[in-house]
Amino acid sequence: MPSSYVAGDSAGNSQYTTPSSSQRSSPLTTPAANDSLMSLYASPQRPPLSALLGHVRRLSKDQVGCRLLQQSLEEEGPVAATAILNEGLSFWGEAMVDPFGNYLFQKILEKITLEERVVLVRSVSARLVNASLNLHGTRSVQKVVELCAADEMSLKASVSSDGQLPT
């Protein structure tokens, strides 16, 4: 483990210590990453979607960050939904059971297209049973069932009398 110079005494002897875990930085907690996220929170207005993208995973696990993403979904519509969905495909299973992320998961389910919803449900399908046993995840699973049932009803209603799907 690398050492860091701390101080020297009057005789010129220097002391070295190893950085504590709070002093070490990881790719997710680098000062630059923290500064950019702090600037998102410090803004008096909601940051644009472009400023939020690249930080969706971290923002979804934070109350304020999750709210910023949900506001983007509300205000910026389908473009925001597709961008946030695509960035989160690798971790939506985690978000389903997160105290804050589950709200974003539910909101994204509502805002994406039927085709995108199929992609999202397939990406989390292996985690649905475990999520249903979790306090936060059960709400996410309920939303999946609710919207998929509504999608099925819409699809059945759109089938023409000859049994063919409309083009």
Side-chain angles (χ1 to χ4, degrees):
M1 180 172 292
S3 297
S4 59
Y5 176 74
V6 172
D9 62 14
S10 60
N13 299 322
S14 50
Q15 300 171 343
Y16 290 89
T17 61
T18 57
S20 70
S21 60
S22 64
Q23 293 171 322
R24 288 182 223 123
S25 61
S26 72
L28 294 177
T29 59
T30 61
N34 285 339
D35 289 346
S36 68
L37 286 178
M38 292 309 294
S39 69
L40 295 176
Y41 295 131
S43 174
Q45 297 178 339
R46 183 186 58 78
L49 176 63
S50 60
L52 301 175
L53 293 176
H55 303 288
V56 171
R57 180 181 222 143
R58 290 186 66 197
L59 291 170
S60 71
K61 295 180 179 204
D62 173 79
Q63 185 176 12
V64 173
C66 187
R67 190 67 201 129
L68 290 172
L69 289 166
Q70 289 177 64
Q71 288 172 343
S72 285
L73 287 171
E74 289 291 333
E75 296 169 10
E76 298 189 40
V79 171
T82 298
I84 293 170
L85 168 71
N86 290 335
E87 185 173 331
L89 278 176
S90 64
F91 64 85
W92 286 122
E94 289 174 37
M96 288 173 58
V97 297
D98 185 80
F100 303 113
N102 81 87
Y103 293 106
L104 179 62
F105 179 83
Q106 292 175 62
K107 182 65 76 175
I108 198 110
L109 270 171
E110 293 174 354
K111 298 296 181 181
I112 56 180
T113 66
L114 173 64
E115 293 81 13
E116 290 171 328
R117 194 171 299 125
V118 169
V119 170
L120 177 55
V121 171
R122 283 186 178 156
S123 77
V124 300
S125 62
R127 300 181 84 167
L128 288 173
V129 171
N130 285 339
S132 70
L133 301 173
N134 175 280
L135 174 67
H136 307 291
T138 192
R139 296 182 189 121
S140 298
V141 173
Q142 287 172 344
K143 185 61 81 171
V144 168
V145 171
E146 172 190 327
L147 291 173
C148 288
D151 290 344
E152 184 179 13
M153 296 302 286
S154 296
L155 191 58
K156 285 180 180 180
S158 67
V159 173
S160 64
S161 60
D162 62 2
Q164 299 295 318
L165 289 174
T167 56

